[in-house]
Amino acid sequence: QVQLVESGGGLVQAGGSLRLSCTASGIIFSINAMGWYRQGPGNQRELVAGITSSSGTNYADSVKGRFTISRDNGKNTVYLQMNSLKPEDTAVYYCNAGVVGGIPLKLYEYWGQGTQVTVSS
């Protein structure tokens, strides 16, 4: 009933930048917290950055000062600006959102399909 569609991944050299986007569509009443997670080869999925409905943010220590999460509530979209990328940032990045919507109307958690980010050294 709700889909999260990500875009913006790709291949970049170390020190470069990428911007990820994730847009929610479907039967949406409101969106609570949104976030970006990543899963590198052989690793567990980890939180990269989160943003509340009032735009409070939190970041993993490994990305503080390099990544910025933001959202556009009018577009049901969350962004992740990634600067000064390092090879260790290579992973599949997943969007996550808590969405009030659907039938019956309640809070659901949704995940995007993932987008690959590869940083070459």
Side-chain angles (χ1 to χ4, degrees), residues 7-81:
S7 62
L11 173 65
V12 65
Q13 288 189 330
S17 298
L18 284 174
R19 189 192 196 206
L20 305 182
S21 300
C22 171
T23 299
S25 62
I27 303 174
I28 298 171
F29 179 75
S30 64
I31 302 178
N32 293 352
M34 305 182 81
W36 289 95
Y37 289 71
R38 68 186 179 187
Q39 187 167 14
N43 296 331
Q44 291 188 330
R45 191 173 297 189
E46 63 176 358
L47 175 67
V48 176
I51 185 166
T52 67
S53 57
S54 56
S55 295
T57 60
N58 65 289
Y59 297 91
D61 287 343
S62 59
V63 307
K64 283 180 181 177
R66 300 188 298 122
F67 291 9
T68 302
I69 189 170
S70 61
R71 62 190 288 171
D72 184 332
N73 292 330
K75 296 181 179 180
N76 292 334
T77 298
V78 62
Y79 305 97
L80 186 67
Q81 178 66 44

Side-chain angles (χ1 to χ4, degrees), residues 1-6 22-37 45 47 49 76 78 93-114:
Q1 293 174 344
V2 172
Q3 285 189 319
L4 301 182
V5 179
E6 300 139 336
C22 171
T23 299
S25 62
I27 303 174
I28 298 171
F29 179 75
S30 64
I31 302 178
N32 293 352
M34 305 182 81
W36 289 95
Y37 289 71
R45 191 173 297 189
L47 175 67
N76 292 334
V78 62
Y93 284 70
Y94 297 92
C95 174
N96 173 270
V99 178
V100 178
I103 299 173
L105 184 67
K106 65 177 184 178
L107 178 65
Y108 296 86
E109 182 181 28
Y110 292 97
W111 291 88
Q113 80 285 357

